[in-house]
Amino acid sequence: MPQVKAGSRSATEAGLTPAIGYIRVSMAREEMISPELQRAAITDWAKRTGHRIIDWVEDLDKTGRTFKRRIMGVIERVERGEASVIAVWKYSRFGRTRTGVPANLARVEKAGGQLISATEAVDATTAVGRFQRGMIMEFNAFESDRAGEQWMETHQWRRDHGLPAVGRPRFGYIWHQRKIYQPDGTITLQEERYEPDPNLSPVVQSLYQRYIAGESFRALALWLNEEGHRTRGGGVWSGKAVRRYLDSGFAVGYLRFHKKSCPMGSVEHGCEEYELVRHPTMHHAALIGDDVWQLYQQRRDFTKTAAPRARNAGHPLTGLVFCGLCQYRARRSVDGRRQHTRFACMPHQEKGHTACRGTSLRDTLIIDEIRKRLAEFVAEFDSAVDAAATIPVQRRHDPVRRRLDEVDASIAKLEKAIVRHMRVYAMADDDDLDGTLEKEYLETLGSLRAEKALLAGERDELRSVVDGGGEAAVRGAAVPVAIGLLEEWDTLEPGRLNAMLRRVIGRVELLGDKQARVLMAWEV
């Protein structure tokens, strides 16, 4: 519908007051009021009261707990004089916060505008009307707080049972919903669970492997779309969607929960204040192993701080070569006359001998040194394995792993205790008129959860020790990568070659006189 400014001829001739109709449909956690119902109520109100709706603005699937919505644009249009009224179905559509609602309502009224509810007859031009409107808005905020607390309890219950905060389809899995709606209208209940989809599991595994090998999220999104795969919502994949899915860790058995300590609240989409949690006994089946997940996280850590060229390298040695004299990065350049590529000390090139007397070396010679060092590393590892084979294997007790098993068992017991405690309270026959039973229930529940939180922290520390594995584990993981590099060097693309090199090579230092020193990842 075309916009009409408040002072325009068509509005004044008709004797109608220009208004903008604002529609907000809440998120699934709040009540769902259809846009059509809101639009019809606002239209009827406009006809009865002599107003003209010059435009409709909709915020679909948006919570009222934040004003990061299109309503802010509507307020700005009132301040510019395009309309003098913001019409809503109910005041709750404008917002549900105790701070944001008064502040933004003051902006509207300061500009000479009004916020009017089509279904709540309030005359806000009088003291009684403003008091009545304030009571309605306070009740809206109370309802939002109450619903939020209920959902927090629900989320905690789902978390305690190894389920995501919100049940919905997940890529790579078959979702068995708790409620099954039969054709005759009856509902059958079953255990909610996620099972690996045999058709999509290989696709998920390939996504992680391809990213570790050097492909970008955008390239992965293009590959998914070309193969005919769609998101669980039926849309096409984007690089951002692939990144969020892989970062979620759902395919590893993790659940993503927003941190309670985040000051922005749980409704901020895209907030990075979250934690990944894997239930010790009730988590869903993983599609990839912890070793692949660690490699994925290593590349993610690198790409978060690396320059754009280093993320999608066009040369196998990008980001790996340094000057051995000044320890600054070496720059790649192409000699047009000799048709070869060299890496040279960057400070020497930019500032001369005062900064560094400089080092440089052709990329082919650097590559020869890297391949030589990789061959030596593989040979050293083979020799160590042969030597170890002659030593009798002795069973050794690992106190760290033993303690980790004990902590996992204790957490599992606490999980069951929490569930039993909640069930006993829910089935209690006492009326609990004085609230004693509820108080004892909450105290015991808090104590159980606090004990579980302490053990969970200890478990995370123990897992970091076990998963880290020290230098020996790093060396062991580097062996198959080194072998793959030596066997397939000439067939790998520069980007993949660079990504694989970063997993085993820490850096290459140019020493001058056509010499280079290759440092492995654990030597840096």
Side-chain angles (χ1 to χ4, degrees):
M1 183 176 291
Q3 299 178 5
V4 181
K5 292 189 176 182
S8 65
R9 179 173 178 149
S10 59
T12 54
E13 281 184 348
L16 302 176
T17 303
I20 298 177
Y22 175 71
I23 295 172
R24 180 176 68 83
V25 178
S26 302
M27 300 171 65
R29 64 170 54 191
E30 300 176 14
E31 73 278 9
M32 298 291 289
I33 307 300
S34 70
E36 292 77 16
L37 186 152
Q38 297 183 44
R39 185 185 293 264
I42 295 173
T43 301
D44 291 342
W45 163 85
K47 292 178 180 179
R48 297 194 313 268
T49 58
H51 289 78
R52 180 186 179 192
I53 306 300
I54 64 171
D55 195 10
W56 294 94
V57 176
E58 295 184 356
D59 271 323
L60 304 182
D61 194 30
K62 296 293 183 180
T63 179
R65 300 184 187 181
T66 173
F67 271 82
K68 290 185 177 181
R69 297 178 274 122
R70 298 180 65 191
I71 185 61
M72 301 305 293
V74 177
I75 295 174
E76 293 174 358
R77 292 171 65 180
V78 172
E79 292 175 330
R80 292 196 299 265
E82 295 184 26
S84 58
V85 173
I86 300 177
V88 294
W89 175 66
K90 288 184 180 294
Y91 286 121
S92 62
R93 301 301 89 195
F94 185 71
R96 286 182 175 275
T97 67
R98 291 183 175 85
T99 55
V101 169
N104 288 288
L105 181 57
R107 286 182 57 184
V108 174
E109 294 180 342
K110 183 178 180 180
Q114 289 181 285
L115 173 67
I116 299 180
S117 169
T119 58
E120 295 164 321
V122 173
D123 183 5
T125 61
T126 66
V128 174
R130 286 190 294 273
F131 175 75
Q132 185 180 1
R133 183 183 65 185
M135 292 293 292
I136 293 174
M137 291 181 171
E138 174 59 29
F139 183 76
N140 292 336
F142 160 74
E143 282 291 306
S144 180
D145 292 343
R146 180 188 58 79
E149 290 176 355
Q150 290 179 344
W151 274 105
M152 286 180 62
E153 293 178 359
T154 301
H155 289 171
Q156 185 62 48
W157 184 91
R158 294 180 63 86
R159 177 172 178 168
D160 293 340
H161 288 75
L163 295 171
V166 178
R168 59 181 174 83
R170 308 277 174 158
F171 188 76
Y173 288 84
I174 300 174
W175 178 37
H176 297 275
Q177 303 184 49
R178 176 169 173 75
K179 294 182 179 180
I180 303 177
Y181 295 90
Q182 305 295 344
D184 60 358
T186 59
I187 299 176
T188 303
L189 298 181
Q190 65 175 358
E191 178 186 358
E192 182 181 354
R193 64 190 186 279
Y194 289 87
E195 294 182 351
D197 188 330
N199 297 322
L200 293 179
S201 295
V203 178
V204 176
Q205 296 165 0
S206 182
L207 284 174
Y208 279 96
Q209 295 288 357
R210 292 169 73 118
Y211 181 80
I212 294 171
E215 293 193 35
S216 65
F217 290 122
R218 180 178 179 275
L220 294 178
L222 293 175
W223 173 70
L224 284 172
N225 294 330
E226 290 173 356
E227 293 294 321
H229 299 294
R230 295 294 180 262
T231 65
R232 295 292 83 179
V236 295
W237 287 92
S238 65
K240 184 178 180 180
V242 175
R243 174 178 61 81
R244 285 185 60 84
Y245 172 72
L246 296 183
D247 280 351
S248 71
F250 195 84
V252 202
Y254 285 105
L255 299 177
R256 175 170 170 158
F257 291 96
H258 192 267
K259 290 184 178 179
K260 297 179 181 179
S261 59
C262 177
M264 302 302 294
S266 60
V267 298
E268 297 298 323
H269 296 288
C271 178
E272 295 299 325
E273 291 294 322
Y274 63 87
E275 58 181 343
L276 298 181
V277 179
R278 181 163 56 185
H279 197 283
T281 58
M282 303 172 68
H283 63 81
H284 54 275
L287 304 182
I288 65 170
D290 288 340
D291 54 341
V292 177
W293 175 244
Q294 290 179 7
L295 293 174
Y296 171 78
Q297 289 183 307
Q298 291 174 8
R299 181 153 196 267
R300 285 290 287 129
D301 292 340
F302 164 72
T303 56
K304 289 176 182 178
T305 57
R309 286 186 179 181
R311 298 174 192 170
N312 302 295
H315 191 280
L317 302 181
T318 298
L320 290 173
V321 186
F322 292 78
C323 174
L325 303 181
C326 65
Q327 301 301 314
Y328 277 89
R329 196 177 299 276
R331 174 184 291 167
R332 177 168 61 96
S333 60
V334 179
D335 190 326
R337 292 182 302 172
R338 300 181 181 180
Q339 295 297 314
H340 64 248
T341 301
R342 299 185 68 85
F343 281 83
C345 172
M346 186 183 301
H348 176 76
Q349 287 186 328
E350 295 180 348
K351 303 175 183 179
H353 291 281
T354 304
C356 179
R357 63 185 178 88
T359 57
S360 67
L361 194 62
R362 290 178 57 173
D363 63 341
T364 53
L365 297 178
I366 300 175
I367 290 174
D368 289 342
E369 289 294 326
I370 291 177
R371 298 180 73 165
K372 178 181 176 182
R373 181 68 184 92
L374 291 176
E376 293 175 352
F377 164 67
V378 173
E380 293 170 0
F381 187 84
D382 290 340
S383 299
V385 172
D386 293 339
T390 62
I391 302 175
V393 179
Q394 297 180 354
R395 183 179 181 86
R396 295 180 300 172
H397 295 288
D398 188 337
V400 177
R401 290 184 179 274
R402 186 168 62 250
R403 177 55 184 166
L404 179 58
D405 293 339
E406 293 174 356
V407 171
D408 283 338
S410 298
I411 290 178
K413 290 181 180 179
L414 284 171
E415 296 283 358
K416 294 180 180 179
I418 290 174
V419 173
R420 286 197 300 268
H421 182 63
M422 296 173 69
R423 184 179 297 137
V424 169
Y425 176 73
M427 300 180 65
D429 296 330
D430 298 339
D431 293 334
D432 192 28
L433 299 177
D434 59 353
T436 302
L437 182 60
E438 180 180 7
K439 182 179 179 181
E440 294 177 352
Y441 160 73
L442 294 175
E443 289 178 352
T444 304
L445 183 62
S447 176
L448 290 172
R449 286 178 173 171
E451 185 177 354
K452 173 191 162 187
L454 289 175
L455 288 173
E458 182 182 358
R459 178 187 61 191
D460 293 340
E461 294 179 359
L462 292 171
R463 280 180 174 174
S464 65
V465 174
V466 173
D467 295 340
E471 180 180 320
V474 176
R475 285 173 174 265
V479 173
V481 180
I483 295 175
L485 283 168
L486 292 172
E487 294 179 350
E488 304 179 24
W489 188 289
D490 296 328
T491 62
L492 292 172
E493 298 178 354
R496 287 200 173 190
L497 191 55
N498 180 263
M500 293 180 68
L501 282 173
R502 289 180 180 278
R503 292 166 58 183
V504 292
I505 301 298
R507 60 193 287 163
V508 180
E509 296 182 352
L510 306 182
L511 305 177
D513 298 328
K514 297 184 179 181
Q515 299 293 318
R517 178 170 58 234
V518 180
L519 300 177
M520 306 302 285
W522 50 90
E523 296 174 342
V524 177

